[in-house]
Amino acid sequence: MGIEILGETYEEFSGDDEALWRGDLLLLDEACGDDCKAYMVCIRDDRDGFQLTNYVGYKAGAAMNMTIPRAASQPECMNIRLSWLRENWSDFIPIGSFETTRFLRWSAKAVD
């Protein structure tokens, strides 16, 4: 089953063998001030790692003030392993928790 955000369909995924890729979303259970609850994974720089960018709302396009390091990636990939994120959440992401966050990937399928 999908979820629709801004007219686009996203499928939820989970599991320690999964990874977030550029364009995937984290849907948090709470907002931080005027920030929204949806953040998109963006590559900051191939050497530096990843940022989470506010996806919609008042601060759309603003990057969360943190960088997830390349060490979060699977070997030879540019992604963020969910297992790494589970272990390191509180060191990098100042709001929400891994357990209450939904991980979403764009889907070409329409929502039922």
Side-chain angles (χ1 to χ4, degrees):
M1 185 171 125
I3 180 173
E4 188 173 313
I5 301 175
L6 295 176
E8 296 294 329
T9 303
Y10 290 83
E11 296 290 331
E12 189 167 357
F13 64 96
S14 62
D16 282 349
D17 59 332
E18 289 282 353
L20 292 161
W21 295 85
R22 176 180 40 216
D24 287 346
L25 301 179
L26 288 82
L27 188 58
L28 304 173
D29 65 336
E30 63 183 82
C32 180
D34 289 332
D35 289 350
C36 75
K37 301 186 311 183
Y39 289 86
M40 180 180 284
V41 175
C42 298
I43 295 175
R44 177 182 173 121
D45 180 298
D46 284 353
R47 296 178 310 268
D48 291 341
F50 310 89
Q51 282 190 309
L52 300 180
T53 301
N54 201 321
Y55 186 58
V56 295
Y58 177 69
K59 293 185 177 180
M64 192 180 281
N65 190 21
M66 48 66 84
T67 300
I68 296 175
R70 284 288 311 266
S73 296
Q74 296 166 328
E76 308 296 321
C77 292
M78 285 294 293
N79 61 19
I80 303 169
R81 293 175 290 129
L82 290 189
S83 60
W84 185 94
L85 199 56
R86 177 189 303 279
E87 294 170 14
N88 296 282
W89 185 278
S90 61
D91 294 333
F92 291 92
I93 302 180
I95 56 176
S97 71
F98 180 88
E99 291 74 23
T100 60
T101 298
R102 296 171 67 188
F103 303 101
L104 306 170
R105 181 164 292 134
W106 181 80
S107 172
K109 300 176 192 174
V111 174
D112 296 334

